[in-house]
Amino acid sequence: ERKQYVTIFMMGECVCPDTRPQNLEPLKCDGWESFSWEELCQFAARSNASSTDSNESGAEIEENDGSPILFGPLLKLVEEAPQIVLDFLDKSP
């Protein structure tokens, strides 16, 4: 069976900085994590330096040091560093 996936990245600002996302579908989502752009750049460098495989569920496994391996679309976003993303991050508090 041929499958096709679409990844959508969205940017936004929290009205209340203390508010955190809630996992309303724990059977479908392992959870939420938040990282700075600098951390994502570090993870991308580690992701590129290692050749890892996905586990059976398709989720990316973690490095031995506990840092996540970025999945393909996120890795590409970090590598390309689109100006619109960088501009958005520059104006964030």
Side-chain angles (χ1 to χ4, degrees):
E1 178 180 332
R2 293 180 50 132
K3 294 183 179 182
Q4 194 169 10
Y5 297 91
V6 175
T7 301
I8 299 171
F9 293 102
M10 299 174 69
M11 296 182 293
E13 296 179 40
C14 293
V15 175
C16 178
D18 296 330
T19 303
R20 292 286 169 231
Q22 294 179 0
N23 185 1
L24 300 178
E25 297 189 54
L27 298 176
K28 296 180 181 179
C29 177
D30 288 337
W32 294 84
E33 293 186 60
S34 178
F35 302 101
S36 69
W37 184 256
E38 291 75 21
E39 288 172 311
L40 290 175
C41 291
Q42 292 171 359
F43 299 154
R46 290 182 190 137
S47 295
N48 284 328
S50 64
S51 57
T52 60
D53 296 320
S54 296
N55 63 24
E56 290 94 35
S57 70
E60 299 294 334
I61 60 175
E62 290 187 348
E63 283 274 14
N64 290 337
D65 67 0
S67 63
I69 301 295
L70 301 184
F71 79 111
L74 183 56
L75 179 60
K76 186 174 176 112
L77 179 77
V78 174
E79 290 173 343
E80 292 179 357
Q83 193 60 49
I84 192 167
V85 172
L86 300 177
D87 291 345
F88 177 82
L89 294 170
D90 282 342
K91 76 175 187 107
S92 297

